[in-house]
Amino acid sequence: MAQRYEQALLAFMAKPSMATDAGFTVVHQRADVAGEATSAGRDLCLFVSYAPQPTVKAHVLHHIQAFRQEGFEVILILNSPHAAETFTLDPALVVACEAICVRENTGLDFAAWAHAVDHFKLGTVELDRVVLANDSIIGPVSQPAFKALVDRVRASKSDVIGLTENWAPRWHLQSFFLVFQREALQRGLFAQAMASIQNLPNKDLVIDVYETHFTLAMKAQGLRCEALFEADPHNLYKANSIYYRWASLMERGFPYLKVSVLAEGQHNPAVRAALPAEMLQAWEREQVKPK
């Protein structure tokens, strides 16, 4: 823990590397995203995926298509060590996305979201809600389950919504799926928060500095924050239900499995049964390293 805080101190003492300092190439754009976004009633998802190879993971395409089916526009940001011109894009992915961007692999998901907000001038766009999502979850396990989730989001009176909450080291909404509704967008609080994001050097720092503080910072601005799947009140240590209590979450209608749970339990029959066979097989094919 001390080493992590020393790393954070060194990162902030150094010359700041802002999210927008990274390389960023738009490889597909249907139209001027900001220019078209002038009317209300629009929902947008900023989806971040790490691309260790110049391709897009199968579960990312499936997730984006699920968003599209529920009326969301999607901008995909690929954090990758590979140059934009080396990517092979599935035609179905191009059809599903308003824009696809390849970004230098630095700063992880928070920096990628922030970079897209700046690049597409989303702080000036009138939207009903913005979803920040990443590829650390696999699913949804069915479209009806995802529709039920989206319906809950759209019916919520909260300003910032997460699917799950974590009470360690402090209460926060987990950042694999965060929703910012009209109040947060119209007051400019979402855009302001994104504009402050730096390219921190590792995942632990991104979690410590951004994810675990973000929700309380939004609450301090008077925004109502809600987890759709609250932690078990009878569990004294209400931490990381998506990892430790994934089965009970899915029984309650949570339509995802954490990729890390699948990777660690891929030979566990209960874990395997949590996903549709086609989705599981596609993920397994991607784990085979090319010779």
Side-chain angles (χ1 to χ4, degrees), residues 40-222:
R42 296 178 68 234
D43 294 340
L44 176 67
C45 172
L46 299 180
F47 198 108
V48 172
S49 176
Y50 171 58
Q53 301 299 326
T55 57
V56 176
K57 300 164 187 170
H59 78 273
V60 170
L61 172 59
H62 171 80
H63 203 170
I64 288 173
Q65 289 175 324
F67 271 110
R68 289 292 295 187
Q69 193 165 330
E70 298 309 322
F72 281 80
E73 298 172 30
V74 181
I75 295 174
L76 172 63
I77 310 101
L78 298 166
N79 273 357
S80 180
H82 297 281
E85 60 269 20
T86 66
F87 271 75
T88 300
L89 299 177
D90 188 319
L93 181 72
V94 174
V95 169
C97 293
E98 295 300 307
I100 301 172
C101 315
V102 176
R103 182 179 181 275
E104 181 182 353
N105 184 34
T106 182
L108 287 93
D109 49 5
F110 271 88
W113 289 321
H115 206 157
V117 169
D118 177 84
H119 181 86
F120 293 106
K121 306 294 187 289
L122 297 181
T124 65
V125 173
E126 186 176 358
L127 296 164
D128 276 356
R129 59 189 51 82
V130 172
V131 175
L132 305 182
N134 68 32
D135 64 0
S136 68
I137 49 176
I138 185 168
V141 294
S142 75
Q143 194 66 33
F146 187 63
K147 182 182 186 305
L149 175 68
V150 171
D151 287 346
R152 288 182 66 189
V153 167
R154 288 175 171 154
S156 175
K157 302 300 182 184
S158 296
D159 306 309
V160 182
I161 304 166
L163 299 193
T164 57
E165 59 187 350
N166 194 339
W167 289 78
R170 61 192 59 80
W171 180 75
H172 62 278
L173 301 173
Q174 294 185 284
S175 63
F176 59 84
F177 193 118
L178 286 174
V179 187
F180 296 83
Q181 309 246 71
R182 286 185 69 85
E183 181 72 8
L185 301 175
Q186 290 184 335
R187 287 176 57 191
L189 299 176
F190 169 70
Q192 289 172 22
M194 290 291 103
S196 69
I197 301 296
Q198 296 184 23
N199 290 314
L200 296 183
N202 59 59
K203 180 179 178 180
D204 286 340
L205 284 181
V206 171
I207 292 172
D208 288 345
V209 175
Y210 294 132
E211 181 180 33
T212 66
H213 287 86
F214 203 80
T215 311
L216 294 179
M218 293 294 101
K219 285 194 73 173
Q221 297 285 343

